[in-house]
Amino acid sequence: MEELLLPRGEEEVRSDHSSYVPGEAGSAMGGTLKTFLQATMKDDLRRKMRNFLKRNGLLTLSVIAVLTGCALGFMLRGTHLSTQAKIYFSFPGELLMRMLKMLILPLITSSLMSGLSSMESKACCRMGVLTVTYYLWTTFIAVVVGIVLVIIIKPGVGTEMESNRLGGGPVMTSADALLDLIRNMVPSNLIEATFQQYKTDLVPIFKVPTRTVQPNFVYVIPDENDPKGQTVYLELTPPPEVQYKTSPGTSQQMNVLGIVIFSATMGLLLGRMGERGAPLVNVCQCINECVMKIINAAVWYFPFGIIFLVAGKILDMQDPSTLGKKLGWYGITVLAGLFVHGLLLLPLFYFILTKKNPFSFIRGLLQAMVVALATSSSSATLPITMKCLLENCQVDRQIARFVLPVGATINMDGTALYEAVAAIFIAQVNDYELDFGQLVTISITATAASIGAAGIPQAGLVTMVIVLTSVGLPPDDITLIVAIDWVLDRFRTMINVLGDALAAGIIAHLCRKDFPIRETRKHVPSYGTQTPHNHAHSTHVPMTEFHSHKDGLFEMMGDSPGDRHGHTVYYNICQV
């Protein structure tokens, strides 16, 4: 009996531990539970990581590429590479830029023609008015933000600049620049507009003054043969008077504005033509589909090209410490204005007009913003912006096809803000006081000049002359800010792209009632017409099935954002 009641030695030792679990079954069960929980947590973490990389893998690679390019560029600055070596090193980045620019023309023409052709005239007119009005309003707001910040911070007060300015160059007037903008809206040759645009050239005309009868100066030179010396008459001819005459010229840049207006006009007229315009609309639909598939395949080259594109720019950069001393406050002012406008005001406008969370919308645009940071070209980023809006933000395709090409042409919020800040900065450097009327002139001319700025790197420097001459500032002082312009150009391009995309989301919300065709799932879309195919002569047109994928453009009109599965679209195959 005592043996049963008194514990044995092993049990006395075990009873000393408070965590003792009687029996081996409990210990085994606890170990199994612990192993199961660890395996479940690992599986969940692995699944979450896999889903994150699946959704944001390309974005992650692009961000890593930008950081790697910055690090590689600063590491190679000490090697003092030759100019030819820098060209070879930047070659992958050059391929990236050429690849993006190659897709601009087919994407703009096919998007506008196919998008506007299937819209009602009333809805298209309303959407166009809202889009242009919103773009002009946000651009003007950006200019006001820049003017307020540069007046408060005063980056040019007390700044000493080296006198390495250019001098005596021709200056284009604001009237000539405005007339060039209007001329480019109506290109005289559509094929020529694909690779160059109209630009007024200033041809110098020299007027040599007549020779003077009497000499200006008389010198007496000692002469061994003549004790009185030799008399030399010296005539100083004044410099010739230079006058500039305007003459028509060209600039080797794509006339995007003229192409946009022509494509929009063609799209509207094709929609009014009905069945007769359907073949050309079908061609545009096919071109748009092919361009988007090319983009889906080419985006995987972007991280590799971004590394060398960013590193090559850093290799060409001047000494950062010297730039910081001279233009540090100027750069801070521009970046602060871009931050306020891009991350505070534009999301606020989006929230007020749509009552939706703007940052969840912006999260789907991060890939386009990273590409804009690397390329500093809003036109080159247009294919990626289109891809992000369609796949991540679920913006209506017809609206995206119209709003984005127009925005890439006329919506330059970052450029307008930058030009206003730069103009007042140059005035502060020269101790030039600007009154309220001149500030209003700067705001208006900066808004107008940004519309005419091309979507290419550092295009703002070209239109900066218009802003400076409007208030009597020396245009040659643009050279004061050239050294840091390439850095700021990348950030203002990000704001330009962000403004275009947010505008597409706002217009899609405001014009949602203008597209009742998208509220039904049973409607068979008819591309190229505005009314259903109920004509007698259209009954013999065969309907062919196309099975679209996730990234395709031939999706049914009534698809909701969550319906991303493949489906069948009935498509007219017409012979041209």
Side-chain angles (χ1 to χ4, degrees), residues 237-308:
T237 304
E241 182 182 357
V242 181
Q243 294 181 351
Y244 292 97
K245 179 183 178 181
T246 59
S247 64
T250 56
S251 175
Q252 297 300 321
Q253 299 171 5
M254 184 188 299
N255 185 7
V256 182
L257 186 60
I259 294 175
V260 164
I261 292 180
F262 175 80
S263 302
T265 306
M266 284 284 294
L268 290 174
L269 295 179
L270 286 173
R272 297 176 67 89
M273 290 173 62
E275 287 294 332
R276 292 180 298 168
L280 184 56
V281 176
N282 295 340
V283 172
C284 295
Q285 291 278 359
C286 294
I287 294 176
N288 206 327
E289 171 76 2
C290 292
V291 171
M292 295 305 296
K293 289 187 175 296
I294 292 174
I295 295 171
N296 290 332
V299 289
W300 295 104
Y301 174 77
F302 289 176
F304 180 74
I306 286 173
I307 294 176
F308 296 94

Side-chain angles (χ1 to χ4, degrees), residues 144-158:
V144 173
V145 170
I147 291 176
V148 171
L149 285 178
V150 74
I151 291 177
I152 293 175
I153 300 176
K154 296 181 179 180
V157 175

Side-chain angles (χ1 to χ4, degrees), residues 454-493:
I456 60 174
Q458 298 183 342
L461 290 177
V462 180
T463 57
M464 178 72 67
V465 177
I466 305 174
V467 183
L468 294 179
T469 55
S470 65
V471 290
L473 292 173
D476 298 333
D477 285 352
I478 293 178
T479 55
L480 301 176
I481 58 177
V482 169
I484 200 175
D485 180 72
W486 74 272
V487 179
L488 302 177
D489 188 26
R490 279 158 164 69
F491 289 98
R492 66 176 183 259
T493 303

